[in-house]
Amino acid sequence: MKFTEEHEWLREEDGVMVVGITIHAAEQLGDVVFVELPDEGGTVSKDDEVVVIESVKAASDILAPVDGEIVEVNSALADNPGMVNDDPQGEAWFFKLKISDPSQMDEFMDEAAYQKFIA
């Protein structure tokens, strides 16, 4: 698993990257009440706004960590946005991305580096 400075995690699964937010990010947001997901099949560029999350504290955008194509979204989050608080690094992933340029993954942190980053 890799981590970004924007508190996103990326996990490779069957040749695509699964993207979600970290436990730290979910705790900072508070109770999530709404999640707007991207359309499947859309192409995104690094730092494009892809997901909108609204919580009782704030609204936040999730940015595309790399260039690629959205191949799947977690539609369960639309009906149950609280999953983001319950299991942010597991069942509450946001989207799956087929990466255009795998070398973009090189800039992300491993878990030890991320833990140091948020300390």
Side-chain angles (χ1 to χ4, degrees):
M1 192 176 281
K2 297 285 191 174
F3 298 86
T4 72
E5 291 185 357
E6 291 76 31
H7 308 288
E8 298 171 25
W9 57 263
L10 297 91
R11 179 182 70 232
E12 187 172 359
E13 187 177 281
D14 299 326
V16 298
M17 285 297 158
V18 182
V19 181
I21 62 169
T22 64
I23 293 167
H24 176 79
E27 289 171 350
Q28 296 301 309
L29 280 170
D31 293 336
V32 175
V33 295
F34 176 77
V35 176
E36 181 180 327
L37 297 166
D39 293 327
E40 289 181 7
T43 301
V44 296
S45 297
K46 181 176 172 37
D47 296 330
D48 283 354
E49 293 176 2
V50 182
V51 175
V52 176
I53 301 176
E54 293 181 11
S55 72
V56 293
K57 290 183 180 179
S60 183
D61 294 318
I62 302 301
L63 307 179
V66 293
D67 300 340
E69 177 188 353
I70 306 286
V71 295
E72 187 178 344
V73 297
N74 189 353
S75 56
L77 293 178
D79 296 327
N80 187 5
M83 287 173 60
V84 173
N85 300 110
D86 297 336
D87 192 11
Q89 289 184 207
E91 292 299 314
W93 55 274
F94 291 113
F95 56 91
K96 294 183 180 181
L97 189 64
K98 183 176 180 181
I99 297 176
S100 300
D101 180 4
S103 71
Q104 289 181 311
M105 292 295 295
D106 296 343
E107 66 188 74
F108 300 129
M109 297 174 271
D110 62 15
E111 187 163 7
Y114 180 72
Q115 291 301 323
K116 187 175 180 180
F117 175 73
I118 62 173

